[in-house]
Amino acid sequence: MNVVICDDYQHMSTLASRAFIDCLQSNPRAVLGLATGSTPIGCYKNLIDSYKAGNISFAEVTSFNLDEYIGLHRDHPQSYYYFMHQQFLNQVDIQSQRVFIPSGVEENYGVYCQWYEDRINEAGGIDLQILGIGSDGHIAFNEPGTALGSRTHITDLDHQTIDDNARFFDSKSDVPKRAITMGVATIMDAKKIILLATGENKAAAIRDAIQGPVGSECTASALQQHPNVTFYLDKAAAALLHNE
Ligand code: PGA
């Protein structure tokens, strides 16, 4: 596991986008695992700039997003479908038939979750996965208590996640209570993983993820067992790590 302490958000975003650019330059048909949240926005901006400068293309890329709120249609401004298209996908040359974002409005999630797993496998697995981390230690919406062997599933959101995400909604009561998410084991199948975190409200989760016991109370701790993972942190997010 690699841990890189960055000077600031911009530096972190530059290093994260460089990982994507390296991946695409060595394999233009790469399968990318994408994340929502405020943390990766700078990385996506850099990738848009790099695309517009002619340095990279997404024309042959396939992408899979981590999660989506249950009950929000894709045209809802807080849906992750909407977020991804606004922040990134609409501004690059990715082909819509190769963009996969879990649907929040399916009738039969038993079938749909397996379908999503099957699409990832059919694409050959995820080459590079970007992650944020919740203040409760979640990766995607794998909340505390989620089995580390989990695959794509429906989950109840933790009260801490609902509090954290209320800032994006008119009121806390508007935050959906459930989500569809890739499981921890789905994420762990990615060949390479980068996790980004900034700010002191992530410091405890980062400490638990990197130096705590591996267990479902902090699902990010599973990453300790991944062969190719790099954490990009600002100083505030890294503040509770102790030297080993
Ligand atoms: P954030 O969310 O980037 O908005 O902090 C991260 C997460 O919940 O995984």
Side-chain angles (χ1 to χ4, degrees), residues 20-21 24-25 46-47 50-52 54-58 93:
F20 277 99
I21 291 166
L24 291 177
Q25 288 180 338
N46 292 343
L47 292 176
S50 190
Y51 161 69
K52 288 186 173 161
N55 298 327
I56 50 172
S57 167
F58 296 85
D93 60 343

Side-chain angles (χ1 to χ4, degrees), residues 37-40 132-134 138 167 202:
S38 41
T39 311
I133 186 170
H138 71 208
R167 69 190 193 277
K202 301 291 175 69

Side-chain angles (χ1 to χ4, degrees), residues 4-17:
V4 178
I5 313 295
C6 306
D7 299 334
D8 53 22
Y9 181 79
Q10 198 52 48
H11 183 213
M12 180 189 75
S13 301
T14 299
L15 295 179
S17 55

Side-chain angles (χ1 to χ4, degrees), residues 15-127:
L15 295 179
S17 55
R18 198 172 292 159
F20 277 99
I21 291 166
D22 289 348
C23 177
L24 291 177
Q25 288 180 338
S26 68
N27 178 12
R29 308 188 66 169
V31 179
L32 304 180
L34 302 179
T36 53
S38 41
T39 311
I41 289 176
C43 170
Y44 294 147
K45 278 205 176 82
N46 292 343
L47 292 176
I48 292 165
D49 290 345
S50 190
Y51 161 69
K52 288 186 173 161
N55 298 327
I56 50 172
S57 167
F58 296 85
E60 295 180 275
V61 161
T62 302
S63 72
F64 289 93
N65 261 81
L66 290 168
D67 45 16
E68 178 62 283
Y69 290 118
I70 295 294
L72 297 194
H73 276 272
R74 50 172 57 183
D75 53 1
H76 189 291
Q78 297 309 332
S79 76
Y80 286 172
Y81 183 98
Y82 191 93
F83 174 99
M84 282 311 300
H85 284 81
Q86 289 292 114
Q87 298 291 338
F88 182 48
L89 299 170
N90 283 347
Q91 298 174 70
V92 296
D93 60 343
I94 196 163
Q95 303 295 298
S96 58
Q97 70 272 19
R98 284 197 285 274
V99 170
F100 294 87
I101 299 174
S103 163
V105 291
E106 290 303 308
E107 300 259 306
N108 185 339
Y109 272 108
V111 170
Y112 184 79
C113 291
Q114 186 57 50
W115 178 86
Y116 202 70
E117 290 277 327
D118 291 345
R119 296 290 75 70
I120 297 172
N121 290 331
E122 191 178 73
I126 291 169
D127 294 304

Side-chain angles (χ1 to χ4, degrees), residues 35-41 66-67 80 83 131-141 143 161 164-165 167-168 196-198 201-202:
T36 53
S38 41
T39 311
I41 289 176
L66 290 168
D67 45 16
Y80 286 172
F83 174 99
L131 297 174
I133 186 170
S135 62
D136 64 358
H138 71 208
I139 46 174
F141 275 135
E143 300 287 30
T161 299
D164 287 347
N165 291 2
R167 69 190 193 277
F168 299 115
L196 315 186
T198 60
N201 70 321
K202 301 291 175 69

